[in-house]
Amino acid sequence: MDTEIKKGNPDVIIIGAGLAGLTAAKVLKAAGKSVRILEASDRPGGRVRTEEVDGFLLDRGFQVLLTAYPETQRFLNYESLDLQKFDPGALILNETGITKIEDPLRKPAALISTLTSSAGTLSDKLRMLGLKLKLTGKSIDEIFASHEATTLAYLNEFGFSQRMIGQFFKPFMSGIFLEDQLSTSSRMFEFVFKMFSQDATAVPAKGMGMIPIQLASGLAAHEIAFDQKVVSIDGNKVTTAFGEVCEATNILIATNELNIPGPFRQAPASFHSVTNMYFTAGRTPYALPLIALNALPNKLVNNMAVMNQVAPHYSKNGDALISLSLIGDHSGTDAAQLQSEVLRELHAWFPDALQWKHLKTFHIDYALPNDDTVIDEPANHANRLNEECFICGDHLLNGSINAAMKSGRLAAEAIITSQK
């Protein structure tokens, strides 16, 4: 892999080396098509990347791989990723302390602690089991063909108590959807909850960035160029920020909505932002491979995880690596003030929090597309902008790793068909 644009026209120029673009490249190459990826940044991955800072692995945003995803099962080698699994469930940080909800079907030893958890009533726990069984028997096609409501309306209609919604579902799903009103489509809720219930929640041993690295591993050096931002498209030609013009039979746009080149760029109606903060500590806040959910109203921190309790390689020296997610855009808050407010908030449950050392903060403007309305299959020709130009990305379907990869696959298949 390099940063130089090689000469010679490929069959397809792919703009963007995120999961959608990399998956498309994999499918195109398998069909015998020549490709060249032009990536604006210095590495593959798009929104899925990992940095190493002071011996710690920092995913850019708290992200997990749901191993039940059909597209990741299709394209990723899980064994090579050395997946490290979260326990099925969550710690609930509430007004009385810390309680725990886990999946007793997958972890029978957790039955008593889950049934007695203060996060919800016994009826809530039974409804949770009913929801899990319902979605186990419902196919993905059936989910995305279902009537669409908000997630909040869906949970109310299912009969969950306001306490269960507020203590578990709201912080849990807000951490996934990156919005705290649960306005996200009920289809997306059913799909995600089914994936969580069906198989493991995991991270690669060496960080989420290993996923795009694995997808890119089949590319030759001349097939991907970094630090090459495409600013415009004209027919079957693209122009980079350096003024270089590249030509191919077809162009595939695989950027997020904010970085689509002209003349196709349109400002998205809305999208979701997140702030991801990392701290280290000599003593771990909790010694469990579980996500912790902040159930208090008017909170800053929505969820947290001690990443090296899940994947030890995330911390070379064994100190705790604490990942915190704050829903929304907090980039306008003074950095020192934000760190202080976050630690004071967590001090209620973790007395050592005021001694945690700040490592790095990521303010991620475009973290997810708006998912108030979602689909799993694009409308006819939705991934084709004109005769030469195609488009892919999770914003066309739903905000997930699965959708990003599926969109890339479908766009690649459409290009292959068009070139026959």
Side-chain angles (χ1 to χ4, degrees):
M1 302 178 193
D2 60 21
T3 59
E4 299 296 323
I5 299 178
K6 303 297 182 182
K7 302 304 177 183
N9 296 340
D11 293 319
V12 184
I13 289 173
I14 300 171
I15 304 170
L19 299 189
L22 293 171
T23 303
K26 196 176 185 73
V27 174
L28 288 164
K29 287 193 66 177
K33 303 297 181 181
S34 57
V35 302
R36 183 175 298 143
I37 301 178
L38 303 181
E39 167 56 39
S41 72
D42 62 351
R43 69 188 81 177
R47 286 170 281 155
V48 181
R49 57 176 60 200
T50 303
E51 298 181 12
E52 184 169 346
V53 178
D54 297 341
F56 296 94
L57 298 179
L58 312 184
D59 294 330
R60 190 176 179 273
F62 176 69
Q63 299 174 334
V64 295
L65 173 63
L66 304 185
T67 58
Y69 279 153
E71 297 296 321
T72 58
Q73 290 182 352
R74 182 172 187 159
F75 289 106
L76 298 180
N77 183 325
Y78 287 175
E79 185 176 354
S80 295
L81 290 174
D82 190 12
L83 295 178
Q84 308 292 297
K85 299 175 183 178
F86 286 82
D87 278 356
L91 294 178
I92 311 295
L93 313 179
N94 62 23
E95 67 282 356
T96 61
I98 302 177
T99 186
K100 184 166 54 174
I101 288 184
E102 295 183 89
D103 184 349
L105 294 182
R106 292 160 65 190
K107 193 175 179 182
L111 176 62
I112 300 301
S113 62
T114 297
L115 290 177
T116 58
S117 170
S118 62
T121 67
L122 178 59
S123 294
D124 285 322
K125 317 303 176 38
L126 295 175
R127 284 189 178 89
M128 186 87 81
L129 176 60
L131 176 62
K132 178 183 171 73
L133 294 174
K134 171 189 174 182
L135 296 178
T136 298
K138 194 171 183 179
S139 71
I140 293 174
D141 287 344
E142 288 172 331
I143 285 173
F144 282 97
S146 299
H147 168 73
E148 210 165 15
T150 68
T151 294
L152 182 59
Y154 178 96
L155 294 171
N156 282 321
E157 186 175 349
F158 208 89
F160 288 107
S161 71
Q162 292 307 300
R163 182 166 181 81
M164 188 66 173
I165 292 173
Q167 294 273 302
F168 175 73
F169 283 111
K170 192 168 187 180
F172 185 63
M173 301 314 299
S174 291
I176 298 163
F177 299 153
L178 303 184
E179 55 89 7
D180 59 9
Q181 301 303 306
L182 297 190
S183 62
T184 294
S185 168
S186 53
R187 293 176 182 171
M188 195 64 186
F189 169 77
E190 285 197 329
F191 173 65
V192 169
F193 204 81
K194 177 182 175 70
M195 295 295 99
F196 269 107
S197 300
Q198 202 164 285
D199 210 337
T201 302
V203 293
K206 295 184 179 179
M208 289 292 288
M210 295 306 296
I211 293 174
I213 287 173
Q214 185 182 100
L215 288 172
S217 63
L219 294 168
H222 67 278
E223 292 176 317
I224 184 167
F226 298 107
D227 300 309
Q228 299 290 343
K229 182 177 177 61
V230 173
V231 294
S232 66
I233 302 171
D234 184 9
N236 64 341
K237 298 178 181 179
V238 303
T239 302
T240 73
F242 297 115
E244 296 188 71
V245 178
C246 305
E247 184 176 344
T249 304
N250 288 113
I251 311 299
L252 175 59
I253 300 171
T255 69
N256 68 39
E257 294 174 277
L258 299 184
N259 293 311
I260 294 173
F264 302 107
R265 183 186 301 113
Q266 292 183 344
S270 64
F271 52 89
H272 300 312
S273 305
V274 70
T275 290
N276 178 212
M277 305 180 75
Y278 284 97
F279 292 85
T280 66
R283 187 165 73 174
T284 188
Y286 57 88
L288 295 167
L290 281 171
I291 299 169
L293 308 174
N294 186 348
L296 296 186
N298 305 315
K299 64 205 173 190
L300 263 176
V301 178
N302 183 79
N303 55 279
M304 67 179 282
V306 184
M307 294 306 299
N308 59 309
Q309 291 296 321
V310 182
H313 286 297
Y314 271 65
S315 171
K316 282 188 177 178
N317 67 5
D319 283 354
L321 175 63
I322 304 157
S323 172
L324 309 177
S325 295
L326 288 66
I327 306 303
D329 182 4
H330 297 267
S331 59
T333 304
D334 175 77
Q337 177 187 341
L338 187 62
Q339 292 168 32
S340 176
E341 290 177 357
V342 160
L343 295 183
R344 282 202 306 271
E345 182 173 275
L346 294 175
H347 176 260
W349 301 285
F350 309 109
D352 293 343
L354 297 180
Q355 280 72 54
W356 295 353
K357 177 186 174 184
H358 177 255
L359 196 58
K360 187 161 185 174
T361 294
F362 296 100
H363 295 291
I364 305 167
D365 184 27
Y366 187 101
L368 279 179
N370 181 291
D371 276 341
D372 288 357
T373 298
V374 297
I375 55 176
D376 191 49
E377 295 287 343
N380 196 29
H381 303 306
N383 53 16
R384 188 166 193 170
L385 298 173
N386 59 30
E387 194 68 22
E388 298 92 1
C389 192
F390 292 74
I391 190 168
C392 62
D394 63 347
H395 58 93
L396 298 176
L397 301 176
N398 57 80
S400 66
I401 288 174
N402 185 76
M405 295 177 68
K406 180 171 185 174
S407 180
R409 172 176 65 83
L410 294 175
E413 291 170 352
I415 291 171
I416 293 164
T417 299
S418 75
Q419 290 189 0
K420 285 181 179 178

